[in-house]
Amino acid sequence: MELPNIFTQPVAGAVISRIEQLQPGSRPGWGKMNVGQMLAHCNVQYEMVYDSHKFPRPNFFMRFILKSFIKKVVTSAAPYKRNAQTAPAFLVRGDRDFDHEKARLIGYIQQTANLGEAGFDGKASHSFGVLSKNEWNNLFYKHLDHHLQQFGV
Amino acid sequence: MQERELIPRLFKTEYSKIIAVLCKLFGIRHLAEAEDIVNDTFLLATETWGLKGIPADPAAWLYRVAKNKTIDYLRHNKVFSEKVSAALGAASWHTEAPELDLSPPNVQDSQLRMLFVVCHPAIPQEAQVGLALRILCGFGIDEIAEAFLTGKETISKRLLRARQKLRETGVTTALPGEKEMEARLEAVLTTIYLLFNEGYYSSTKNSVLRKELCMEAMRLCYLLLQQRHTDTPAVSALLSLMCFHASRFDARVDAAGEQILYEAQNRELWNDALIEKGNYYLIRSAQGAAGKYHLEAAIAYHHCEKTDSPEKWRHILELYNRLLQLEYSPVAALNRTYALSKVQGNAAAITEASRLQLSGSHLYHSLMGYLYAGTDRQKAAAHYEEALQLAKTAHDRALISRRLKQL
């Protein structure tokens, strides 16, 4: 794995303890989202895995764009740029309940660690087609790490 | 810069701006009067700058003179002034001339309106491209004639008829309403694409002129993206497509002006900045259903990949399949066959190409010549000979002759 393995309990635990440090009043170092919205935004990547029927399947051209341009940004180990534009499905509008979103996110991280890397290796993603366990790990860990850094934890 | 170079350059950039603003003010019925005023302005510039030197801000000088000439024109042409002011419901311009607003927002708005006027369905497509070059891009009749490989007289007549048609049809500079915008915008995009192709595939060896045609098409497309009503995914897709094509401009012609085929191009000469722009507009275009410009842009994207791989050609083939399902065209079908040869080999491509029933096209025989070249020299030569007979331009004939010699 290129990044810390979020499919293992020690890394999942470390990420969860960073989430535990967040407060309803935590402020971002950059960007427009508040902390509740950020947690809801991080939940979307798990909803796409565990509740994928909620999201329309991208059409042919969108799949081409996702594979040609976005996949590399999302599944490589290279960190995200700050203030980069997000995909429409990841846009969070309106206020979100901090405790509810936090509990959901922790639940998703645990569920994913319990399934382990074997549960993800070669699994098809909603947006990018089949991904390796390393690509899945980059996708999950990098995104969470980016937003936890955004809120200083 | 000497005035000999400066005036033609300014003519190209400023002519269309002033004409567009004047037409928005007077109405398109008075295009001829607008052209008179602008021509007078440039005539005075040529005379004055030749004697006194070029002013510090030549464009501002032109705007000032155009404004004054408009006022003079309205004062000295009472009949015109009253006719126009009455038609537009304005106060009499004979006594109080209107201000000519050459501010950037008004110039942009006026040019956008002119683009829709020029691409009005009442005018034949070929004339639309010519009119766009003349009125929106400030090209001279001789340049347009060269680009179309035809005589100046033909172009002048074509433009004259188009102007008459605009007057007869009562076309106005008002932008199309929401309901008709989609269809009208489609016509505008077709004209912009034809304008680009005129430059990209033009038979003239004048590479400066060809590049200018392509750049103007891209500028007009960009103009559409600047306005809320016309900033649609299809417009982004078309600009992306043109950026990808334009990125290979310097690699596809050799020093003698001869065309270099895709396979033989030096990848180092492809313009990375334009490829990046193409990527940007392609991503921007990804909203809703994908139309033909989306698919063509996606094909062009893959063509800009510098390394050849079986996967690249499989993607291109799939995109051609979708493009043909969406809108069949013989050229796209032939291009698909080339992609097919890369994926399934020449024999499969020969079988498919034969089914297209395009034996009257030099492009078909050129492709068949290429596909047979490795296996059947005699058949390849026969197809190239046929292509040579059918090709209409010296440029195409030269290319085919070279392929024939290489057999």
Side-chain angles (χ1 to χ4, degrees), chain A:
Chain A
M1 297 285 188
E2 293 170 294
L3 295 176
N5 188 344
I6 201 156
F7 298 113
T8 63
Q9 287 301 337
V11 175
V15 171
I16 289 168
S17 59
R18 287 168 73 188
I19 294 170
E20 297 284 8
Q21 291 174 46
L22 292 169
Q23 299 297 322
S26 296
R27 299 186 69 91
W30 70 85
K32 294 176 199 156
M33 284 188 285
N34 64 33
V35 67
Q37 289 171 326
M38 179 276 282
L39 291 168
H41 167 81
C42 287
N43 278 321
V44 177
Q45 66 182 14
Y46 290 106
E47 289 166 11
M48 281 189 167
V49 174
Y50 299 117
D51 273 319
S52 61
H53 63 276
K54 276 174 38 185
F55 299 88
R57 184 174 144 78
N59 68 18
F60 164 79
F61 189 74
M62 189 54 90
R63 289 203 302 280
F64 158 75
I65 294 288
L66 288 166
K67 277 192 184 172
S68 305
F69 300 104
I70 316 297
K71 182 182 169 187
K72 198 174 153 200
V73 178
V74 174
T75 64
S76 75
Y80 282 116
K81 285 181 190 158
R82 292 177 179 186
N83 292 313
Q85 207 182 343
T86 192
F90 283 79
L91 277 175
V92 176
R93 292 190 182 88
D95 267 341
R96 297 303 175 99
D97 183 85
F98 172 80
D99 291 322
H100 175 67
E101 297 298 340
K102 183 175 133 185
R104 281 208 310 139
L105 185 57
I106 291 171
Y108 279 137
I109 294 169
Q110 276 300 357
Q111 187 179 354
T112 305
N114 291 342
L115 281 167
E117 60 186 45
F120 283 86
D121 201 18
K123 182 181 165 69
S125 118
H126 180 267
S127 307
F128 308 117
V130 172
L131 298 181
S132 68
K133 60 187 176 188
N134 181 54
E135 287 172 322
W136 275 111
N137 186 53
N138 287 343
L139 179 153
F140 288 135
Y141 184 85
K142 182 170 79 171
H143 192 226
L144 288 172
D145 183 55
H146 173 80
H147 286 294
L148 292 174
Q149 279 190 40
Q150 181 189 13
F151 282 83
V153 295

Side-chain angles (χ1 to χ4, degrees), chain B residues 3-19:
Chain B
E3 65 266 26
R4 209 180 308 160
E5 296 166 44
L6 182 73
I7 292 175
R9 195 173 63 86
L10 275 173
F11 200 87
K12 283 226 165 76
T13 56
E14 304 307 325
Y15 178 90
S16 67
K17 291 183 189 171
I18 306 173
I19 290 270

Side-chain angles (χ1 to χ4, degrees), chain B residues 76-352:
Chain B
H76 293 118
N77 293 273
K78 194 175 172 219
V79 178
F80 170 73
S81 168
E82 286 179 353
K83 203 161 63 179
V84 175
S85 55
L88 298 180
S92 173
W93 287 348
H94 183 55
T95 48
E96 199 181 328
E99 176 73 5
L100 194 62
D101 178 6
L102 283 156
S103 64
N106 194 47
V107 166
Q108 205 175 59
D109 179 64
S110 306
Q111 287 194 313
L112 186 73
R113 287 162 189 265
M114 283 304 276
L115 186 53
F116 278 93
V117 165
V118 161
C119 300
H120 194 276
I123 306 173
Q125 198 99 62
E126 217 173 19
Q128 288 183 14
V129 178
L131 213 51
L133 282 172
R134 179 76 193 127
I135 297 176
L136 283 161
C137 312
F139 276 57
I141 299 292
D142 49 346
E143 287 175 306
I144 303 173
E146 191 183 341
F148 278 106
L149 271 198
T150 177
K152 283 197 256 183
E153 208 171 312
T154 313
I155 295 296
S156 295
K157 275 187 193 158
R158 193 182 292 168
L159 297 190
L160 189 70
R161 278 197 297 272
R163 284 186 168 95
Q164 270 170 354
K165 196 78 192 170
L166 280 179
R167 270 197 303 277
E168 287 163 16
T169 318
V171 175
T172 71
T173 52
L175 281 173
E178 223 170 286
K179 276 185 189 163
E180 39 168 3
M181 182 54 102
E182 199 182 330
R184 292 287 306 276
L185 187 57
E186 204 179 308
V188 170
L189 294 186
T190 304
T191 300
I192 290 178
Y193 194 26
L194 283 174
L195 177 56
F196 184 87
N197 284 344
E198 203 55 53
Y200 204 67
Y201 300 106
S202 170
S203 305
T204 171
K205 283 191 180 178
N206 182 343
S207 64
V208 175
L209 175 63
R210 296 172 47 159
K211 223 179 216 175
E212 274 183 5
L213 288 169
C214 292
M215 292 304 151
E216 280 300 310
M218 290 164 79
R219 180 180 70 84
L220 294 176
C221 203
Y222 186 71
L223 183 68
L224 292 170
L225 289 179
Q226 301 308 298
Q227 304 288 328
R228 193 170 53 86
H229 303 300
T230 52
D231 177 9
T232 68
V235 181
S236 282
L238 177 57
L239 187 53
S240 163
L241 166 61
M242 294 192 290
C243 287
F244 286 137
H245 279 328
S247 74
R248 294 199 299 278
F249 218 106
D250 292 332
R252 59 198 284 280
V253 181
D254 66 15
E258 298 295 343
Q259 202 183 327
I260 304 174
L261 291 177
Y262 178 77
E263 284 174 21
Q265 287 170 13
N266 177 0
R267 265 76 174 147
E268 294 304 310
L269 293 177
W270 292 357
N271 185 323
D272 290 330
L274 275 170
I275 294 175
E276 270 305 307
K277 285 266 177 223
N279 290 341
Y280 172 79
Y281 289 110
L282 192 60
I283 296 170
R284 202 174 180 277
S285 78
Q287 295 167 53
K292 69 169 182 167
Y293 296 123
H294 287 92
L295 295 171
E296 286 194 45
I299 291 168
Y301 159 80
H302 283 300
H303 276 107
C304 288
E305 287 177 323
K306 291 186 180 170
T307 46
D308 249 3
S309 68
E311 204 190 4
K312 163 177 160 174
W313 289 104
R314 268 200 303 276
H315 286 311
I316 292 176
L317 182 61
E318 192 192 346
L319 287 160
Y320 270 122
N321 289 342
R322 285 181 184 267
L323 180 63
L324 290 169
Q325 281 163 16
L326 195 69
E327 189 178 299
Y328 182 85
S329 91
V331 173
L334 266 183
N335 288 336
R336 176 195 170 269
T337 314
Y338 177 76
L340 186 75
S341 77
K342 295 284 187 183
V343 178
Q344 294 181 14
N346 288 7
I350 287 168
T351 311
E352 289 264 327

